[in-house]
Amino acid sequence: MSTTTDAEATAQVRGRRSRRGAASEPKTFPGRRRRRWPWIVAFVTVLALVAAAVYAVFFSPLLAVKSVTITGSDEALNAQVRSVVPDSVGIPLARVNLDAVAASAQTVPEVADVVVAREWPDTLRITVTPRVPTAVTSANGQLWLLDADGDPYLTVASVPAGLVTVQLAAPGRTDPATKAALAVVESLTPDFKPQVAVLSARTEFDIELTLIDRKKVIWGEPTQSAQKMQMLPALLAARDGTEYDISDPTLVTVR
């Protein structure tokens, strides 16, 4: 038998350790590294598309305002609104401040409400709801139109046809006498309104009509107004007098 020297034994041990170390090293797969690239490319592509979309919507002229459409009222009021709203043509539609446009339109006294909307790709639509005058009142030496809420919103030189003149101490939407007077005005029929020279409301419970022939109608409070209006023309035609008290329609007095 051959004898193994110390040097040979040492070399064999080292060889076995080297082989074990080589076997324990993880194997690398070049194909896996290459398969990461499609995901990276896709991610970068998505980011680029998002950035392009943001630019197109918020900054480029592609989706900028080309027209401003105003509807809901007559041409005169629409023209007034157009003259006060900010010029939005050329501004990206997504960046138009809708609240600011609406606030500008509502500075026109005849405007009751405004709705501003985007119509893609390039139109800004403003829909106007005009105030409807229901009566005329005098304040500070001027005639004012009153809307249905009792708000004096516009001065006029004379009383428009079909409107009743209302005398009030403090006209306004929070004034009880104003609300009561407008409730009575609303109950008057179109045929009867031209006969009313003035409606006065000292309080919400003390309403009177002065007719163009100077007859006075004591209406009282605005309760049972439909019944009062129904009986009044026949009462005026049937009984002569200068003062007609219909504050209680079940107990009418004529003087």
Side-chain angles (χ1 to χ4, degrees):
M1 293 180 63
S2 61
T3 303
T4 303
T5 64
D6 293 342
E8 290 175 343
T10 301
Q12 291 174 0
V13 171
R14 289 178 177 173
R16 287 194 295 270
R17 290 177 178 174
S18 176
R19 286 193 295 273
R20 285 197 299 269
S24 64
E25 289 181 359
K27 295 181 180 181
T28 60
F29 298 92
R32 290 183 179 178
R33 292 181 179 176
R34 287 195 296 269
R35 283 196 292 269
R36 294 176 183 174
W37 285 104
W39 291 100
I40 296 174
V41 171
F43 180 71
V44 172
T45 301
V46 170
L47 285 181
L49 291 175
V50 171
V54 169
Y55 174 78
V57 172
F58 290 95
F59 300 100
S60 82
L62 296 176
L63 297 176
V65 177
K66 293 181 181 178
S67 64
V68 178
T69 303
I70 302 176
T71 60
S73 186
D74 56 34
E75 293 183 3
L77 183 53
N78 289 346
Q80 288 188 61
V81 172
R82 189 178 296 275
S83 69
V84 300
V85 297
D87 184 7
S88 301
V89 174
I91 299 174
L93 186 57
R95 295 173 59 190
V96 175
N97 188 329
L98 303 186
D99 291 338
V101 174
S104 297
Q106 287 179 322
T107 61
V108 178
E110 294 96 322
V111 172
D113 191 28
V114 180
V115 176
V116 184
R118 300 180 180 92
E119 290 189 352
W120 299 98
D122 54 17
T123 300
L124 185 69
R125 179 172 293 277
I126 303 173
T127 304
V128 175
T129 301
R131 293 181 192 262
V132 178
T134 58
V136 179
T137 193
S138 178
N140 300 323
Q142 293 180 302
L143 292 176
W144 291 80
L145 296 180
L146 287 173
D147 64 12
D149 293 326
D151 188 16
Y153 66 93
L154 185 69
T155 59
V156 290
S158 59
V159 179
L163 295 184
V164 175
T165 300
V166 179
Q167 287 184 349
L168 299 163
R173 61 175 59 207
T174 60
D175 176 45
T178 299
K179 294 180 179 180
L182 293 182
V184 173
V185 169
E186 186 177 358
S187 71
L188 302 179
T189 62
D191 292 339
F192 190 77
K193 282 182 179 180
Q195 300 182 46
V196 180
V198 63
L199 182 153
S200 63
R202 285 184 287 270
T203 70
E204 59 187 302
F205 308 107
D206 186 9
I207 298 172
E208 294 182 358
L209 308 181
T210 300
L211 307 184
I212 55 176
D213 59 4
R214 297 187 179 182
K215 293 179 179 179
K216 181 181 293 186
V217 178
I218 301 175
W219 197 278
E221 55 187 315
T223 56
Q224 299 178 289
S225 288
Q227 183 179 354
K228 294 173 183 177
M229 183 66 254
Q230 185 178 10
M231 64 179 295
L232 182 57
L235 178 65
L236 292 170
R239 299 179 62 178
D240 291 331
T242 58
E243 183 177 285
Y244 298 77
D245 188 343
I246 60 172
S247 55
D248 180 355
T250 64
L251 186 62
V252 174
T253 59
V254 178
R255 296 186 180 90

